[in-house]
Amino acid sequence: MFGLLPGLLAAGLPGFLPALLLFNAEPLAHLHTLDVVVICLYFAMVLWIGFYLKGRSNTGEEFFMAGREMTAWIAGLSFVSANLGSLELMGWAGSAYQYGILATHWYWIGAIPAMLFLGLMMMPFYYVSKTHSVPGYLNLRYGGHARSVAAIAFALEMILMSGVNMFAMAVVMKVVLGWDLNFSIIVSSVAVAVYVGLGGLRSAIFNEVLQFVLIWGGALLVPILGLIQAGGWTGLKAKILTNLGSDSYFHLWRDTGSFSANPMGVHWTGIVFGLGFVISFGYWTTDFLVVQRVLAAHNLRAARMAPIIGSFFKMATPFIVILPGLLGLVLLQNPDGSRRQLVGEDVVAACSASSGRIVNAQACSAAMAKTNLSPAYQQKVLSGAPGAELHTYNQALPLMMVRYMGPGLLGLGITALIAGFMSGMAGNVSAFSTVWTYDIYRPLIHKNGTDSHYVLVGRLSIIIGVLISIGAAYLVQQFHGIMDYVQALFSIFVAPLLAAILFGMFWKRATRLSGFLGLLSGIIFSAGLFIWVKMNPANLKYVALSPAAKPMAENVFRAGWAFLFSAAVIVLVSLMTKPRPVAELDGLVYGATKLPTEEPAPWYKREWIWATVAVVIFAVLNILFW
Amino acid sequence: MHGSGISIWFFIGVLLTVYGVLIFGYGVVEWVTGISPGVQLAYLHTPVWWGGLLGALGLFYVVKFRPGRSK
């Protein structure tokens, strides 16, 4: 988890997590013995895979790049799985509950164009250059200084992100199952350390494909059963219209002409340019966490096909994420049979309880008054009546699971959540290990080691990385505000990196110094904007060009400004410095590279065909849900 | 995956088969004994058909990607 995703970033997740711990409620679910068996079998399988692959991860190429022998399907599924974390599943189901299918933008326009662009336009340069990482590409294109800046920022981001993932998983398991936080953190981190430490990237990729299947196998039942109960799509629409009196929940674009016309408060320009270009392209084409999976493909055609294959699954993901949120709007019920209304984290935090009593009844009452909760239900919450609990938007998916899944199936659903968290953590630590070993340790600390020495360093860095992540998880537990800063790392870093990579790949004139200065100054500029708004939130109106802007707009606009700033620096410095000879840019830059001739393939194996199919489906979906 | 060794699809097949057998088996017991799982739409006997689907899919992968099978 996901490293953190553009979507999570924009939605302000996982800032919701600490609030979940405040409301002293019963766990959402109780596991049957069969559920525990299902979960244990999953852990046994991931460890088996790790031990099995240990013997096939002896060289640097095997350990860090999975031997570059993954098929397009495996690389493609791993590519989307590394991004399909449980925070994303829960967070976007919650967003769909709040905002309707507008949340789908983060799966479609916020991913598909960038994934196709990566496959068709960028993979040839990543792949032909034989780089082992994105900072490695920067080294080839701009030199060691640009590589070091990118590598250090990325390694820091990955390891902290892994800690946030651990903490997030522990909180979700605590809320859903009542599990102890320490138990969840230790078990998940030991499992990840063992299977990635033993089998390297190959093990991480294998497990991500397994986790992808389990996530679908565990989560797919919710929309299927929900649609049966709601009377199909037509019935769901009718029920939402009856209960909420608005059909905005079913339109992707129709109501985005003004900020106030849609439940999310967004404008189409922000969705297209901010989300669809800067954040989406920044994440999907330059974040090494996802790009690493594609670099492990066995040939150029497979590397180009992998993101295209991934785009089809990405387009389908709203079925298991967005639909459960919409179904939750009309199907979730309180114990007395009335419609259950989920609330924001601020309300849950205001109504925190101790020994069954609300700590601050006045604050709780004021917070609930701003919601649509009925006065009678508010009174029940204040009096601590049995069953009168508050649940947040982000609990929509687990609540729907508990609604339909009995023994065994619930274990499968919980396994899907655990698998999502672990794939995110494994992605973080495997990417960290590669960048640390190849882009920090080898060039800056120990230049002339043997291949086996670097493999050892890679294995150790996974163990040390997991230990630091555990430390970060406990730090986040103590100081919740750290989450905001960890999230900010992504937004600060992504836009300047995108500018450096795009100009480096598609503009022969970009010089070594311009890449380094554009990247460094862009990061400083973006961090400066972040601190400026943090010190005085009123400054947000300057960054987002509107006094009505919300945090989502801040992230999008900050990324946009940082991209423009970095681009301007790269162009200006390039024009003032001497360009590299074109011959040196072979394999790195569009127009200076002779791409290897690909073996002839039947039409159904050609990337352009499938990219066209993806574009058509993407367009049809957007028109269908306009 | 290219090269020798066990395919990831085999691992997936094994896990899905075991899950399918367990969930299908429990679903049948629930159905026969009339135990209520305490969930909505229990009359659809979801564990039976979902467990069956998982098991069938898992078996397909186990057979198709079993170690030593010529490609």
Side-chain angles (χ1 to χ4, degrees):
Chain A
M1 69 175 152
F2 121 55
L4 284 193
L5 318 169
L8 292 182
L9 174 86
L13 300 169
F16 73 87
L17 289 165
L20 295 179
L21 293 174
L22 293 174
F23 195 85
N24 190 17
E26 281 287 302
L28 298 183
H30 297 281
L31 294 182
H32 185 274
T33 309
L34 183 58
D35 299 316
V36 178
V37 171
V38 166
I39 294 169
C40 289
L41 282 171
Y42 164 72
F43 276 94
M45 178 57 80
V46 296
L47 293 176
W48 179 27
I49 291 174
F51 278 101
Y52 170 71
L53 293 176
K54 180 179 180 294
R56 305 187 63 196
S57 306
N58 299 319
T59 68
E61 196 70 359
E62 288 174 342
F63 187 80
F64 296 109
M65 302 308 298
R68 293 194 202 257
E69 53 182 32
M70 297 296 128
T71 63
W73 272 92
I74 291 178
L77 291 181
S78 170
F79 177 72
V80 283
S81 181
N83 167 272
L84 191 62
S86 299
L87 279 180
E88 167 155 313
L89 293 177
M90 292 173 59
W92 285 112
S95 291
Y97 183 100
Q98 279 180 279
Y99 308 122
I101 65 169
L102 276 170
T104 310
H105 282 309
W106 274 258
Y107 288 89
W108 292 351
I109 195 167
I112 305 306
M115 291 167 88
L116 298 180
F117 187 78
L118 172 68
L120 297 177
M121 304 302 293
M122 296 177 75
M123 270 330 289
F125 304 104
Y126 278 137
Y127 198 82
V128 170
S129 67
K130 286 290 168 196
T131 181
H132 46 264
S133 69
V134 171
Y137 175 82
L138 290 176
N139 177 49
L140 297 171
R141 181 64 181 88
Y142 294 123
H145 294 309
R147 183 254 310 272
S148 297
V149 170
I152 290 168
F154 181 79
L156 183 67
E157 179 196 334
M158 280 301 100
I159 217 66
L160 291 175
M161 221 69 99
S162 175
V164 169
N165 255 318
M166 269 181 208
F167 177 64
M169 174 180 171
V171 172
V172 170
M173 291 304 128
K174 166 93 177 159
V175 172
V176 177
L177 302 172
W179 285 1
D180 179 61
L181 288 175
N182 298 316
F183 172 78
S184 298
I185 288 174
I186 299 302
V187 168
S188 62
S189 58
V190 167
V192 167
V194 168
Y195 80 72
V196 182
L198 289 173
L201 180 63
R202 194 194 306 267
S203 182
I205 287 177
F206 267 39
N207 276 301
E208 279 158 5
V209 177
L210 171 70
Q211 285 147 2
F212 182 85
V213 173
L214 291 179
I215 287 168
W216 275 86
L220 191 58
L221 267 181
V222 170
I224 291 174
L225 296 175
L227 279 177
I228 290 173
Q229 194 166 33
W233 179 247
T234 312
L236 171 65
K237 284 171 79 170
K239 282 186 170 65
I240 288 184
L241 267 176
T242 307
N243 287 337
L244 300 159
S246 167
D247 69 345
S248 274
Y249 287 85
F250 302 107
H251 291 283
L252 277 174
W253 296 102
R254 190 194 71 182
D255 301 326
T256 56
S258 81
F259 286 96
S260 56
N262 59 80
M264 198 179 256
V266 291
H267 194 270
W268 69 267
T269 51
I271 294 172
V272 173
F273 299 111
L275 173 66
F277 177 57
V278 179
I279 289 184
S280 168
F281 274 65
Y283 177 74
W284 288 103
T285 67
T286 71
D287 192 314
F288 182 52
L289 172 69
V290 287
V291 173
Q292 185 179 27
R293 273 74 196 138
V294 189
L295 287 175
H298 65 91
N299 62 25
L300 178 56
R301 189 183 296 280
R304 298 180 82 174
M305 274 298 285
I308 296 168
I309 290 171
S311 72
F312 288 96
F313 289 100
K314 192 70 183 171
M315 276 192 277
T317 305
F319 192 76
I320 57 167
V321 178
I322 304 299
L323 203 46
L326 287 174
L327 289 161
L329 262 173
V330 294
L331 296 177
L332 289 175
Q333 291 172 317
N334 291 312
D336 62 5
S338 60
R339 187 168 77 86
R340 169 168 276 167
Q341 299 202 21
L342 306 183
V343 296
E345 283 70 35
D346 54 332
V347 179
V348 175
C351 295
S352 61
S354 176
S355 306
R357 293 173 62 89
I358 302 294
V359 175
N360 186 339
Q362 200 175 358
C364 177
S365 182
M368 286 195 294
K370 295 174 190 165
T371 68
N372 293 324
L373 292 168
S374 68
Y377 196 79
Q378 292 182 30
Q379 204 50 50
K380 281 185 182 177
V381 172
L382 287 169
S383 62
E389 296 167 349
L390 293 177
H391 293 286
T392 71
Y393 300 122
N394 297 300
Q395 289 175 307
L397 184 62
L399 283 167
M400 290 292 283
M401 281 183 173
V402 172
R403 180 177 174 83
Y404 295 117
M405 295 176 157
L409 291 175
L410 183 62
L412 195 61
I414 297 298
T415 302
L417 291 180
I418 294 173
F421 279 117
M422 285 179 46
S423 69
M425 276 188 270
N428 292 141
V429 296
S430 59
F432 166 79
S433 166
T434 305
V435 168
W436 165 260
T437 307
Y438 278 150
D439 296 309
I440 298 175
Y441 180 79
R442 188 166 72 175
L444 302 178
I445 299 171
H446 188 80
K447 279 192 176 135
N448 300 313
T450 60
D451 188 57
S452 59
H453 172 76
Y454 292 125
V455 172
L456 179 64
V457 170
R459 286 193 208 279
L460 288 175
S461 67
I462 283 169
I463 295 167
I464 293 168
V466 168
L467 289 175
I468 299 173
S469 299
I470 293 173
Y474 284 110
L475 204 62
V476 170
Q477 191 181 343
Q478 295 301 316
F479 306 101
H480 297 151
I482 288 172
M483 279 193 180
D484 291 342
Y485 294 96
V486 176
Q487 276 187 284
L489 272 180
F490 171 80
S491 67
I492 287 167
F493 182 52
V494 71
L497 181 62
L498 176 65
I501 297 274
L502 284 184
F503 277 93
M505 222 169 244
F506 297 100
W507 195 37
K508 285 181 277 189
R509 187 69 180 75
T511 63
R512 284 176 182 269
L513 187 63
S514 75
F516 168 63
L517 287 181
L519 183 60
L520 183 64
S521 64
I523 291 172
I524 294 170
F525 175 81
S526 189
L529 282 184
F530 174 77
I531 293 167
W532 191 44
V533 174
K534 205 77 182 163
M535 289 171 67
N536 182 6
N539 291 332
L540 177 57
K541 63 178 179 238
Y542 301 114
V543 175
L545 304 177
S546 168
K550 292 182 177 174
M552 177 163 64
E554 184 202 350
N555 286 320
V556 170
F557 274 84
R558 177 155 33 83
W561 291 125
F563 177 83
L564 290 175
F565 183 86
S566 289
V569 170
I570 291 169
V571 171
L572 285 174
V573 175
S574 291
L575 295 177
M576 290 188 291
T577 48
K578 191 179 167 190
R580 292 174 69 181
V582 173
E584 285 185 13
L585 302 178
D586 186 19
L588 299 174
V589 186
Y590 186 80
T593 302
K594 191 173 182 312
L595 293 176
T597 311
E598 290 181 281
E599 288 177 15
W603 65 270
Y604 57 86
K605 287 189 175 176
R606 290 183 193 158
E607 56 272 24
W608 285 97
I609 298 281
W610 288 109
T612 306
V613 173
V615 168
V616 170
I617 294 175
F618 171 72
V620 168
L621 286 172
N622 276 278
I623 293 168
L624 210 58
F625 295 99
W626 185 267
Chain B
M1 194 195 75
H2 278 218
S4 58
I6 303 176
S7 164
I8 176 58
W9 302 112
F10 176 76
F11 288 106
I12 290 172
V14 169
L15 193 60
L16 288 184
T17 305
V18 176
Y19 279 173
V21 168
L22 288 174
I23 293 170
F24 174 82
Y26 187 82
V28 170
V29 171
E30 246 181 23
W31 196 346
V32 171
T33 59
I35 299 170
S36 168
V39 294
Q40 297 279 315
L41 304 183
Y43 64 88
L44 292 177
H45 301 289
T46 309
V48 174
W49 52 267
W50 196 250
L53 273 175
L54 292 179
L57 189 66
L59 266 181
F60 171 76
Y61 278 121
V62 166
V63 173
K64 186 166 170 53
F65 296 97
R66 67 187 180 277
R69 179 178 181 268
S70 58
K71 293 178 182 172

